[in-house]
Amino acid sequence: MMNQMKTRIGIYGYGNLGRGVEAAICHTSDMELAAVFTRRDPSSVAIQSPGVPIVMTSELLNWKDRIDVLILCGGSATDLPGQTPACVKDFNVIDSFDTHARIPEHFANVDTMAKVGKHVGIISVGWDPGLFSLARVYSNAVLPTGKDYTFWGKGLSQGHSDAVRRIIGVKDARQYTIPVESALASVRNGEQPELTTRQKHTREVFVVAEEGADKNLIEQEIKTMPNYFDEYDTTVHFISEEELARDHAGMGHGGFVFRSGTTGMKNEMHHIIELNLKLDSNPQFTSSVLVAYARAAKRLYDEGRCGAYTVLDIPPAYLCEQSGDELRAHLL
Amino acid sequence: MMNQMKTRIGIYGYGNLGRGVEAAICHTSDMELAAVFTRRDPSSVAIQSPGVPIVMTSELLNWKDRIDVLILCGGSATDLPGQTPACVKDFNVIDSFDTHARIPEHFANVDTMAKVGKHVGIISVGWDPGLFSLARVYSNAVLPTGKDYTFWGKGLSQGHSDAVRRIIGVKDARQYTIPVESALASVRNGEQPELTTRQKHTREVFVVAEEGADKNLIEQEIKTMPNYFDEYDTTVHFISEEELARDHAGMGHGGFVFRSGTTGMKNEMHHIIELNLKLDSNPQFTSSVLVAYARAAKRLYDEGRCGAYTVLDIPPAYLCEQSGDELRAHLL
């Protein structure tokens, strides 16, 4: 990428994901952080990159000519459904929208506005949706006869932790989703098991109770909570606030995607494709995927394309700093 | 794919790979086998699909209007370097060219002729190169700071088996490449080891000796063979012709691709991406990948594109029967 302008990235929203994007940019040589946009008072926001402007989101449109790709680092529940369509009118954008059931609607909204503004919007980027979706699509295409399995964890679930925190008498909580080893082994062994929700994952909860709270009652309420816990085997541990801070600050995660399929005129041959992620930091890894797709967004835009895209629409080479020649010589 | 013409596939060369392509087409609903082309006497070739024409390769050009994509099922050493550029002038083609060092040259030759004939040629399709290349490229893009590891096996190596068969006194032989478990464990554990050739794979050879041959001499000759065996720990077993036929007819294979990388301003977080294949039949699985990319070739051609492509240049959705809407709703 010598003698070429770096791709100028804007970060929209500076939480764990925004901080991760900032760090991921430092691992590239063809991108630079142009500005961080925040809804907070910029003077109250401390970033890791000296000299980079911290700007109120209300100033965003003044940066149209100084940002190549805007990476939206808000949440899927309330931020992204409005922000991505609004921003894609004026910027190329990337988001990590991960509410699977609402992806078609979000895609349509982003596509409409992207075409109005002639920009590129790549949605649902991360590891699931994201790298896990790629694994599902490639392996379904290659093995059309077969079964898919996705396991998550071991990892912290933010949504489930929040649900436990809403129980009366709970001061703080962390919930881990854990794949069942025997289920993983059965899939890996080619047995193509039918697995219930309970057979795939267990849940482990660490709770700091308010003083004097009824721990038995809290445990019962967790274990019977509809949708969140009632279909799972759940273990509840009561710990101190200090233990929670000391032992449960990490944001590691991961998971497994399997395709177990057959080929041959009589389905006589069996094959297993497994993708497996072990992540020390869920937000930092997600951010690294976002930054790779920012490179692709710039390239699509430079080719004159516009509209909504997902990871399924983008050639793998578009994510790379290296040229096609370099990729064919060294990574193919 | 209702109310739509099926994509008409031609198979060029009917060995293990050609038979695999024929079977893989039966696992799709949008493709059909139009003809099998062979250099042998067609009356001596028995295929699995009743009614499909078996045609001499000399007749190929008469099929220009009856074939959408020609899948070349020859070998990389002597067949494909000539066949792929020759055929892509008149047909969209897919090949599984797997001599990594010669890919840039093959790509250039195919690209030139594809552009002359305005057709699409997708080269080096399979699992390595192929799915393993995709894993390397995606994971390098996402984790630019890190190390790559590729392990093959356990699986039969045709090239090494052939090398052993050329030794005087050897009647027949099979060679298996086996990844070293402790090396796999170290990589999976995030240790980022520096591994020598010897530390990554062992080799196991099953030999049928000619009557009266000097087995010690054969074993020495195998273990010291330059390039093929001298850098590996090799175990040699002498077995009977019957045992070889009974226990070593399988063509299973597989392997592992890892990216072990770090993120964060201080590389403080570590992540591991692992792709793992377990294949009952190397040629059938490779064929299944070829057929998925035949779908992509047709689509690229219908869009008016031409030239040489590899798996790195093709959007994952192009491999799928399903529409973009269906993929976003169900697999993303």
Side-chain angles (χ1 to χ4, degrees):
Chain A
M1 302 302 293
M2 276 183 300
N3 301 323
Q4 211 172 319
M5 287 272 290
K6 288 191 178 192
T7 296
R8 299 161 301 175
I9 304 292
I11 291 173
Y12 192 96
Y14 194 73
N16 285 327
L17 213 51
R19 256 190 299 277
V21 168
E22 183 182 15
I25 292 168
C26 297
H27 288 262
T28 73
S29 64
D30 60 343
M31 295 195 249
E32 63 187 9
L33 179 58
V36 171
F37 298 92
T38 178
R39 286 175 293 197
R40 291 177 275 166
D41 174 359
S43 70
S44 74
V45 176
I47 68 171
Q48 306 158 93
S49 312
V52 171
I54 306 170
V55 183
M56 299 260 296
T57 50
S58 56
E59 299 289 317
L60 181 65
L61 287 185
N62 298 333
W63 284 74
K64 278 191 68 162
D65 299 330
R66 285 176 279 173
I67 301 282
D68 294 308
V69 185
L70 190 63
I71 302 184
L72 303 178
C73 298
S76 298
T78 55
D79 298 326
L80 299 175
Q83 279 173 7
T84 313
C87 292
V88 79
K89 189 168 161 292
D90 299 295
F91 294 90
N92 299 311
V93 303
I94 312 288
D95 81 19
S96 60
F97 186 79
D98 66 357
T99 312
H100 285 261
R102 296 189 60 195
I103 286 174
E105 172 194 347
H106 187 59
F107 184 88
N109 293 340
V110 174
D111 194 49
T112 301
M113 294 309 290
K115 283 171 178 161
V116 168
K118 302 231 180 302
H119 283 96
V120 169
I122 311 182
I123 67 158
S124 300
V125 174
W127 57 276
D128 195 4
L131 300 192
F132 274 19
S133 322
L134 289 167
R136 287 187 284 262
V137 163
Y138 278 115
S139 61
N140 271 266
V142 168
L143 295 175
T145 307
K147 283 174 73 89
D148 291 311
Y149 298 90
T150 302
F151 293 87
W152 296 276
K154 179 184 177 175
L156 186 75
S157 163
Q158 206 54 63
H160 285 76
S161 301
D162 289 345
V164 173
R165 284 190 208 103
R166 286 193 293 267
I167 295 173
I168 292 169
V170 171
K171 196 168 180 185
D172 203 350
R174 296 285 184 285
Q175 195 272 177
Y176 297 97
T177 305
I178 305 167
V180 174
E181 280 299 330
S182 59
L184 279 176
S186 168
V187 171
R188 208 171 266 143
N189 204 26
E191 295 164 18
Q192 297 203 345
E194 294 288 342
L195 296 169
T196 63
T197 299
R198 191 179 301 275
Q199 288 168 325
K200 288 182 70 185
H201 296 94
T202 57
R203 298 194 176 281
E204 190 167 20
V205 191
F206 292 85
V207 177
V208 180
E210 304 274 9
E211 236 183 271
D214 182 338
K215 292 182 179 176
N216 281 330
L217 204 65
I218 291 173
E219 181 164 346
Q220 277 317 301
E221 210 165 324
I222 293 171
K223 289 185 170 177
T224 59
M225 193 185 296
N227 304 319
Y228 285 87
F229 291 97
D230 61 341
E231 289 179 44
Y232 296 85
D233 291 332
T234 302
T235 312
V236 178
H237 308 274
F238 289 92
I239 60 174
S240 71
E241 211 160 359
E242 294 69 33
E243 288 170 315
L244 191 87
R246 186 191 66 202
D247 302 333
H248 300 283
M251 288 184 286
H253 216 309
F256 305 81
V257 177
F258 293 92
R259 180 77 177 167
S260 177
T262 51
T263 61
M265 302 298 277
K266 294 169 179 159
N267 289 301
E268 69 276 15
M269 293 294 171
H270 187 254
H271 313 279
I272 296 177
I273 302 173
E274 173 183 352
L275 175 68
N276 170 345
L277 299 182
K278 283 198 205 77
L279 313 176
D280 270 358
S281 165
N282 184 353
Q284 273 194 11
F285 188 80
T286 301
S287 304
S288 299
V289 186
L290 290 167
V291 167
Y293 276 94
R295 186 176 290 123
K298 171 73 158 56
R299 192 157 159 186
L300 290 166
Y301 179 75
D302 287 345
E303 291 177 353
R305 310 231 229 151
C306 67
Y309 291 79
T310 75
V311 297
L312 307 181
D313 307 310
I314 295 175
Y318 279 39
L319 310 185
C320 298
E321 276 194 53
Q322 300 98 313
S323 69
D325 282 342
E326 288 172 308
L327 292 175
R328 281 188 291 276
H330 303 299
L331 289 174
L332 189 68
Chain B
M1 303 302 297
M2 278 183 301
N3 301 324
Q4 212 173 317
M5 288 272 289
K6 289 191 179 192
T7 296
R8 299 161 301 175
I9 304 292
I11 292 174
Y12 192 96
Y14 193 73
N16 285 327
L17 212 52
R19 257 191 299 278
V21 167
E22 182 182 16
I25 292 168
C26 298
H27 288 262
T28 72
S29 64
D30 61 342
M31 293 194 248
E32 63 187 10
L33 180 57
V36 171
F37 298 92
T38 178
R39 285 176 293 196
R40 290 176 276 166
D41 173 0
S43 69
S44 73
V45 176
I47 67 171
Q48 308 159 89
S49 312
V52 171
I54 306 170
V55 182
M56 299 261 294
T57 50
S58 55
E59 299 289 314
L60 181 65
L61 286 184
N62 298 331
W63 285 75
K64 278 192 69 162
D65 298 331
R66 287 176 278 172
I67 300 282
D68 294 308
V69 185
L70 190 63
I71 302 184
L72 302 179
C73 297
S76 298
T78 55
D79 299 326
L80 299 175
Q83 279 173 8
T84 313
C87 293
V88 78
K89 188 167 162 290
D90 298 296
F91 294 91
N92 299 310
V93 304
I94 312 288
D95 80 21
S96 60
F97 186 79
D98 66 358
T99 311
H100 284 262
R102 296 189 61 195
I103 286 175
E105 172 194 346
H106 187 58
F107 183 88
N109 293 340
V110 174
D111 194 49
T112 301
M113 294 309 291
K115 284 173 178 159
V116 168
K118 302 232 181 301
H119 283 96
V120 169
I122 311 181
I123 67 157
S124 300
V125 174
W127 59 275
D128 194 3
L131 300 191
F132 275 18
S133 322
L134 289 167
R136 287 187 284 262
V137 163
Y138 278 115
S139 60
N140 271 266
V142 167
L143 296 175
T145 308
K147 281 172 76 88
D148 293 310
Y149 298 90
T150 303
F151 293 87
W152 297 275
K154 181 184 173 176
L156 186 75
S157 163
Q158 206 54 65
H160 284 76
S161 301
D162 288 345
V164 173
R165 281 190 210 103
R166 285 193 293 266
I167 295 173
I168 293 170
V170 171
K171 195 168 181 186
D172 204 351
R174 295 285 185 284
Q175 194 274 177
Y176 298 97
T177 305
I178 305 167
V180 174
E181 279 300 330
S182 59
L184 279 176
S186 170
V187 172
R188 207 172 264 142
N189 204 27
E191 295 164 18
Q192 298 201 344
E194 294 288 342
L195 296 169
T196 63
T197 299
R198 191 178 300 275
Q199 287 168 327
K200 289 182 70 185
H201 297 93
T202 56
R203 299 195 177 278
E204 192 168 18
V205 190
F206 293 85
V207 178
V208 180
E210 304 275 9
E211 238 184 87
D214 182 337
K215 292 182 180 175
N216 281 330
L217 204 66
I218 291 172
E219 180 164 345
Q220 276 318 302
E221 210 165 326
I222 293 171
K223 289 185 171 176
T224 58
M225 195 186 295
N227 303 317
Y228 285 88
F229 292 98
D230 60 342
E231 289 179 44
Y232 296 86
D233 291 331
T234 302
T235 312
V236 178
H237 308 274
F238 288 91
I239 60 175
S240 69
E241 212 160 358
E242 294 69 36
E243 288 170 313
L244 190 87
R246 186 191 68 204
D247 302 334
H248 300 283
M251 289 184 285
H253 217 308
F256 306 81
V257 176
F258 293 91
R259 179 78 177 167
S260 177
T262 52
T263 61
M265 304 296 277
K266 293 168 182 161
N267 289 302
E268 69 274 17
M269 294 294 173
H270 187 253
H271 314 279
I272 296 177
I273 302 173
E274 173 182 352
L275 175 68
N276 171 346
L277 298 181
K278 281 197 206 78
L279 313 176
D280 271 357
S281 164
N282 184 354
Q284 275 195 11
F285 187 80
T286 301
S287 303
S288 300
V289 185
L290 289 167
V291 167
Y293 277 93
R295 187 177 287 122
K298 171 72 158 58
R299 193 158 158 186
L300 291 167
Y301 179 75
D302 288 346
E303 290 176 357
R305 309 228 231 154
C306 67
Y309 291 80
T310 75
V311 299
L312 307 181
D313 306 309
I314 295 175
Y318 278 38
L319 310 186
C320 299
E321 275 195 52
Q322 301 98 313
S323 69
D325 283 344
E326 288 171 307
L327 292 175
R328 283 188 291 276
H330 302 298
L331 289 174
L332 191 69

